[in-house]
Amino acid sequence: MMPLASFAERLCAASSRPLDGSLVETVRQRMFDTLGATAIGFATAEGQMLAGLDAGLDISGAKQSTTDRCRLLVGVTRSTEVDDIDIGSCTTVGSVIVPVALTLAAASEAKGRDTIDAQRITAGIVTGYEAMIRLGRAIDGAALIYRGIWPTYVTAAFASAATIASVLQFDTRRCASALGLALSRIALVSRSALAQPAYRQFALGAAAADGWMAALAARAGFTEDPESFETFANAIDVRVNADALTTNWEQPRITDVDTKCFPSSRQALASVEAFTKLLPQNLGDIASIEVYVPAPYRDMVDQPRPPDTRIASMIGVQYQMALAAVGSPVFFDALRAALPFDREIEAWMAKIHVHADAELSAQFPAIWGSRVDARLATGKISSV
């Protein structure tokens, strides 16, 4: 396995490289999309719970710290299902990295110390994406999630520490300490706990704040366990793919992330988007819809019953396809204060059947693909 010091050396070298125009534009796009998710997130029920927590700090007389603000913004951003995602690692990277970098910049400016310029923020965001995606791919996050371990959560502290280390321009030794201390903060959270209202978002924000504190501890002189990668891997019971940590440093990983054109789980997105391409034909002719997806997430997206929560309404394919078929404005609404369900939506959901496909499974996790067949009343099949 790659020694932590060697990884930190490569990360610092990547962080110090000049940023070309196309990379700067990519970072701007990631910032713009993420801040849009943050703004929407404050209006979600989960975002309001998180904001209420921070309001409670003021009521109790405790002063909100910068890390409290970081925790809030990360959690709020992740509550929307419109943030970006790297499919190879199954990590929603921007929801962690962008709030961390911008909170640090704002805090520095507010205190009148070490004003952080745009170039340092940009480099920090690139570095944070690099750290989270590489670690997420190294632990096979795209498969790990179906074991009940959330890849974004277990990589968040590491990525947050990497972002802070880059923005504050740590040398290799301190960067390694920050990363190692962050890895030591990993604690597994059960699937049932993550299912509780807003706890998933709270836990992710807390992990990002832990990474922030790890970086500050490293700056203060605290040092890491040299075998942090091994300790981390043992804690979550995975083998770390060293190649994912060591190879192909020429192209920044931030250029690999996927974005969403409507609020949806990434697992369902390809199927739902394919279905929307079938909609111009006569809907009355469609007798059934057969959806084919990779086997690892077939059960996740096959949700034939009406959803009972906002997040659940964005996970399965049946309800999302039905919303698209009836032209409901809720389809594009990330807030979804109401979840319409009537006979027309019910009829559409009943037509939709989800299957695991061997060819698509073989392409996973590099490609999260889908095929949708609309079987017409005439017997003809129309596919996308």
Side-chain angles (χ1 to χ4, degrees):
M1 190 181 299
M2 185 180 193
L4 186 63
S6 298
F7 183 83
E9 183 177 7
R10 296 190 187 201
L11 200 65
C12 287
S15 176
S16 63
R17 289 176 189 156
L19 302 170
D20 64 35
S22 63
L23 183 57
V24 171
E25 182 59 27
T26 296
V27 173
R28 287 175 176 167
Q29 291 173 356
R30 296 297 88 246
M31 290 174 63
F32 182 81
D33 284 356
T34 301
L35 290 173
T38 306
I40 295 169
F42 273 106
T44 66
E46 295 86 355
Q48 290 172 7
M49 286 182 68
L50 293 168
L53 168 63
D54 283 62
L57 293 177
D58 293 336
I59 292 171
S60 67
K63 185 178 180 181
Q64 186 189 52
S65 67
T66 304
T67 51
D68 289 331
R69 188 66 178 171
C70 170
R71 172 182 46 75
L72 170 64
L73 293 177
V74 169
V76 163
T77 304
R78 188 60 191 91
S79 70
T80 63
E81 287 297 344
V82 296
D83 48 338
D84 63 25
I85 184 170
D86 172 64
I87 63 171
S89 62
C90 196
T91 55
T92 52
V93 197
S95 63
V96 175
I97 304 307
V98 172
V100 167
L102 296 185
T103 301
L104 177 60
S108 176
E109 184 175 354
K111 293 179 180 178
R113 304 175 188 166
D114 186 26
T115 301
I116 297 170
D117 61 26
Q119 184 173 353
R120 285 169 63 184
I121 291 297
T122 302
I125 290 173
V126 172
T127 301
Y129 270 78
E130 196 75 23
M132 178 175 272
I133 292 172
R134 283 187 176 276
L135 182 58
R137 292 184 182 184
I139 62 176
D140 197 12
L144 191 63
I145 191 171
Y146 305 109
R147 283 177 40 197
I149 298 174
W150 187 18
T152 301
Y153 172 71
V154 298
T155 59
F158 184 80
S160 174
T163 305
I164 300 293
S166 174
V167 174
L168 296 183
Q169 300 179 317
F170 285 10
D171 60 20
T172 299
R173 176 85 286 279
R174 284 191 173 173
C175 180
S177 291
L179 297 175
L181 291 168
L183 286 174
S184 71
R185 298 294 300 161
I186 299 301
L188 291 183
V189 179
S190 70
R191 187 177 295 179
S192 59
L194 292 174
Q196 300 305 310
Y199 186 77
R200 172 182 290 267
Q201 292 80 14
F202 168 77
L204 182 61
D210 273 351
W212 186 309
M213 291 303 299
L216 296 185
R219 187 171 66 170
F222 291 84
T223 56
E224 83 292 356
D225 169 11
E227 298 181 350
S228 295
F229 276 134
E230 290 86 345
T231 303
F232 166 76
N234 291 335
I236 61 174
D237 191 24
V238 299
R239 291 175 62 92
V240 176
N241 177 358
D243 284 347
L245 298 173
T246 60
T247 60
N248 301 323
W249 282 80
E250 297 79 15
Q251 181 68 25
R253 290 293 189 262
I254 192 172
T255 61
D256 293 341
V257 298
D258 273 16
T259 56
K260 301 174 182 177
C261 50
F262 51 84
S264 173
S265 68
R266 180 56 182 82
Q267 289 86 344
L269 186 135
S271 302
V272 178
E273 187 170 11
F275 175 70
T276 63
K277 298 182 185 303
L278 295 172
L279 291 183
Q281 64 186 290
N282 186 344
L283 298 183
D285 290 341
I286 298 178
S288 70
I289 300 151
E290 308 303 321
V291 179
Y292 299 89
V293 297
Y297 57 77
R298 182 261 175 201
D299 290 346
M300 174 182 173
V301 301
D302 183 20
Q303 301 294 329
R305 296 184 178 181
D308 55 4
T309 67
R310 180 181 65 90
I311 294 298
S313 75
M314 304 175 191
I315 293 176
V317 299
Q318 285 93 336
Y319 186 69
Q320 295 185 75
M321 288 181 174
L323 290 178
V326 303
S328 172
V330 173
F331 178 75
F332 290 104
D333 183 7
L335 298 179
R336 299 190 180 184
L339 300 175
F341 187 73
D342 54 26
R343 289 185 177 180
E344 187 178 13
I345 291 175
E346 182 178 20
W348 271 105
M349 291 182 67
K351 293 180 180 182
I352 301 166
H353 312 99
V354 184
H355 314 275
D357 181 84
E359 183 177 349
L360 293 169
S361 298
Q363 297 172 353
F364 180 85
I367 299 174
W368 293 17
S370 179
R371 186 178 81 254
V372 177
D373 294 346
R375 300 181 184 276
L376 307 183
T378 60
K380 180 182 176 182
I381 298 177
S382 181
S383 298
V384 175

